[in-house]
Amino acid sequence: MSLGNHIALSRRHALGLGLGAAAASLLPPEQARAAIPAGTVLKVGDQKGGVQSVIEAAGLLSDLPYRIEWSQFPSAAPLLEALNAGAIEVGYAGDAPTTFALAAGTAAKIIGAVRSNPQSTTILVPGASPIRSVADLKGKTIGTGRGSIGHYLVLASLKANGLKPDDVKIAFLLPSDAKSALAAGSVDAWSSWGIYVSQALLVDGARAVVTGTGLMSGLSYQSATLDAIATKREALVDLIRRFAAARLWALENSNAYADIWAKTVGVDPAIARHTFGVERARPVALDGAVIAEQQATSDLWREFGIIPKRLDAAAIFDPSFNGALPA
């Protein structure tokens, strides 16, 4: 269900909800808007609760100088497959699956970044499970998406606790299937993120065994195809600027955003508030620290044979889009 069918906040309404001066300063200047050719269309891939929801909730989609064709995906893997196939031109996904895709040869670069609290990625077990620690996962089956941030957390937590990947069995499943498998007892644990974790903890009675705190960067990226970077740069800059402004608005108005989001997708507001209260996502520049953290993520993928060769993280970033962020 499209968020656009349910939310049509005006910019004045967004300002009334507390769009701060820092966020307002990110709104597209008229000169930049005028540089976007008439008739421009951006094909944007998104995930549940991602780019579209926050920009729309902040009231920043009402005056676009181009048209967006939104495609919603259940997780990063199919989104990045669509990016590779050219079905979308820009998409939002976590650092781990983005590494996985770009290492496989997707003709794209990272043009924007958001950092969230790594705690929002979690390995979950049923409340009555005897599993209490990572060590207890030995010999068990964990459901998660291949190349996802959940997959990364499994490998990172095993390494941190002196275990090897073959000490567990990983069942590669989409989030909805992994949720069902955990409820049915087909898997012993589920490594997931964001809204899925909040629902499992607050509604399903699941329990966290380990989170990404200290094990993951919490970075997510906007990646664009090389063709879109070459031919639609102005529109991409505008999209990043709006997304950054919306993220700043959501930080200042976390409960307001959560309540809007919950009503739109039909979940308990407490679940949305928990999700966004933990994530605290904020835009960050593509700087040396981000590139170094991305290199560490890439190196872990390589260490465990998830990608075939070492990836030079610096080569997959385009820092020239940093100008869309506040100074």
Side-chain angles (χ1 to χ4, degrees):
M1 183 178 295
S2 171
L3 290 171
N5 292 333
H6 297 277
I7 301 177
L9 293 178
S10 68
R11 182 174 297 200
R12 180 177 297 174
H13 187 186
L15 288 167
L17 286 174
L19 181 59
S25 71
L26 281 173
L27 297 178
E30 292 303 318
Q31 184 177 2
R33 290 164 51 84
I36 299 173
T40 296
V41 177
L42 269 186
K43 297 179 180 180
V44 182
D46 194 18
Q47 297 181 63
K48 185 177 182 180
V51 177
Q52 183 180 7
S53 68
V54 71
I55 300 180
E56 204 153 25
L60 301 179
L61 277 185
S62 60
D63 60 347
L64 290 174
Y66 51 93
R67 183 165 60 88
I68 293 180
E69 292 182 359
W70 295 101
S71 296
Q72 294 290 337
F73 297 87
S75 64
L79 182 155
L80 291 164
E81 288 170 5
L83 189 72
N84 183 49
I88 60 173
E89 297 168 305
V90 57
Y92 180 65
D95 59 345
T98 298
T99 303
F100 187 73
L102 296 184
T106 298
K109 286 198 173 187
I110 296 165
I111 62 171
V114 167
R115 189 186 297 279
S116 301
N117 182 350
Q119 182 184 343
S120 61
T121 305
T122 303
I123 298 179
L124 303 156
V125 296
S129 171
I131 298 171
R132 297 283 171 180
S133 67
V134 174
D136 293 336
L137 290 169
K138 188 171 183 178
K140 306 300 184 181
T141 300
I142 306 170
T144 195
R146 180 171 176 79
S148 69
I149 54 177
H151 188 187
Y152 184 90
L153 177 58
V154 171
L155 296 180
S157 60
L158 292 175
K159 180 180 179 180
N161 287 271
L163 297 176
K164 299 177 181 179
D166 57 7
D167 284 330
V168 302
K169 179 180 178 181
I170 301 178
F172 293 120
L173 301 166
L174 289 173
S176 59
D177 296 328
K179 174 183 172 69
S180 298
L182 186 69
S186 302
V187 299
D188 302 291
W190 175 24
S191 188
S192 194
W193 53 87
I195 194 74
Y196 301 112
V197 170
S198 295
Q199 286 180 313
L201 292 174
L202 300 182
V203 178
D204 303 332
R207 178 167 42 80
V209 172
V210 65
T211 75
T213 302
L215 297 171
M216 307 176 66
S217 70
L219 289 165
S220 294
Y221 299 127
Q222 286 278 21
S223 299
T225 64
L226 299 182
D227 183 65
I229 291 171
T231 62
K232 300 181 181 181
R233 172 174 288 272
E234 295 86 358
L236 291 172
V237 168
D238 181 273
L239 179 65
I240 292 172
R241 182 179 286 115
R242 289 171 188 268
F243 185 39
R247 278 296 177 198
L248 292 177
W249 171 83
L251 280 173
E252 296 173 1
N253 301 275
S254 177
N255 287 343
Y257 172 44
D259 290 348
I260 292 168
W261 194 92
K263 183 176 181 180
T264 301
V265 301
V267 300
D268 189 320
I271 295 173
R273 289 188 178 206
H274 181 274
T275 301
F276 303 130
V278 172
E279 287 182 345
R280 302 294 295 166
R282 64 193 186 280
V284 294
L286 305 180
D287 59 14
V290 166
I291 292 172
E293 288 176 280
Q294 180 57 38
Q295 188 65 63
T297 298
S298 304
D299 289 348
L300 186 137
W301 274 153
R302 176 68 189 102
E303 178 181 347
F304 290 110
I306 307 302
I307 59 176
K309 61 182 180 180
R310 188 175 190 272
L311 181 68
D312 177 11
I316 63 175
F317 287 89
D318 187 341
S320 69
F321 286 85
N322 282 341
L325 301 179

